[in-house]
Amino acid sequence: MTEHLTVVRHPLVQHKLSHMRDATTPTPVFRQLLREVSQLLAYEVTRDMALTTRRIDTPLQAMDAPVLDGPEPALISILRAGNGLLDGILELMPQARVGFVGLYRDEATLEPVKYYFKVPPLEGRMVFVVDPMLATGNSSAAAVSMLKEAGAVNLRFLCLLAAPEGVARMRAAHPDVPIVTAALDARLDARGYIVPGLGDAGDRMFGTK
Ligand code: URA
């Protein structure tokens, strides 16, 4: 993957995203759409996974058939909203190892602080980090730094929506980590929400508001 930012403009992705943005879309529909979009975005973010071949017999003849190479990929959810992307992607990659990163913002220093970090061994794996909203990029950049400290080298970042500020933050901190998203929105508002956005992704998918 050579692009730092890939916006998936596929009509199905854009159609589903518009329904997710609509404030009248109820939680169960939002969650189902997120699952569907996660799979379409996963198709893009996994496109350069390595292949090898395995000798198989079709009913007609032997062939060297392409199969995934290398160790199982790692799928890392940034809590809590990242969990909304997990199940759909795991359906496509059931072999993936799964990890979780939980961060909160220290009100005094404004720095992200780790409160939960449980990941599989990352050395040698493709690592897919998932979080629906790339807003300021502070927590995403911090999470990726923590994953690199834990041994990750080959990372991709998958989100549903990105703000220019978040993309710039990630590009500055982690130029080696390609980002795949369904849309690059206009800006952040004063509270750090993506505009036009879809509101708080966690609240929308878990019905907490
Ligand atoms: N997180 C969200 O859930 N929504 C935003 O708009 C920004 C960050």
Side-chain angles (χ1 to χ4, degrees):
M1 198 166 270
T2 51
E3 293 296 316
H4 184 256
L5 177 71
T6 301
V7 179
V8 179
R9 301 185 197 281
H10 192 286
L12 287 177
V13 171
Q14 295 305 315
H15 178 83
K16 291 175 193 294
L17 175 59
S18 295
H19 281 290
M20 296 178 76
R21 290 183 187 274
D22 186 336
T24 66
T25 297
T27 290
V29 179
F30 184 94
R31 204 163 38 225
Q32 175 60 26
L33 289 167
L34 183 59
R35 182 190 186 89
E36 292 166 9
V37 174
S38 75
Q39 295 189 323
L40 296 166
L41 296 178
Y43 175 86
E44 185 60 37
V45 81
T46 55
R47 75 162 53 247
D48 58 356
M49 286 178 86
L51 288 173
T52 183
T53 56
R54 195 169 64 210
R55 193 73 177 166
I56 60 162
D57 294 309
T58 80
L60 300 183
Q61 67 169 55
M63 72 172 285
D64 295 315
V67 292
L68 290 173
D69 195 15
E72 303 92 349
L75 193 51
I76 309 295
S77 167
I78 301 183
L79 298 173
R80 75 182 156 147
N83 285 12
L85 297 165
L86 268 186
D87 286 350
I89 303 177
L90 272 176
E91 217 168 270
L92 296 181
M93 299 197 300
Q95 76 280 26
R97 308 285 192 94
V98 181
F100 297 91
V101 179
L103 303 170
Y104 71 88
R105 195 165 71 140
D106 184 293
E107 290 308 329
T109 65
L110 302 184
E111 290 300 315
V113 179
K114 175 163 63 177
Y115 68 83
Y116 191 78
F117 191 82
K118 186 82 180 171
V119 300
L122 300 176
E123 288 83 2
R125 294 186 199 284
M126 273 190 95
V127 178
F128 299 96
V129 184
V130 300
D131 190 354
M133 310 298 272
L134 179 57
T136 63
N138 288 338
S139 57
S140 305
V144 168
S145 296
M146 290 167 196
L147 294 167
K148 286 181 174 175
E149 277 164 33
V153 172
N154 190 6
L155 293 117
R156 306 281 183 276
F157 190 89
L158 187 158
C159 57
L160 180 65
L161 286 187
E165 294 88 336
V167 172
R169 176 87 179 85
M170 282 289 279
R171 184 174 283 138
H174 302 293
D176 57 307
V177 179
I179 300 167
V180 170
T181 187
L184 178 62
D185 272 11
R187 61 186 176 86
L188 293 180
D189 73 6
R191 296 177 307 156
Y193 278 90
I194 297 177
V195 178
L198 49 73
D200 186 296
D203 286 340
R204 299 282 316 268
M205 74 181 74
F206 296 124
T208 34
K209 269 229 173 89

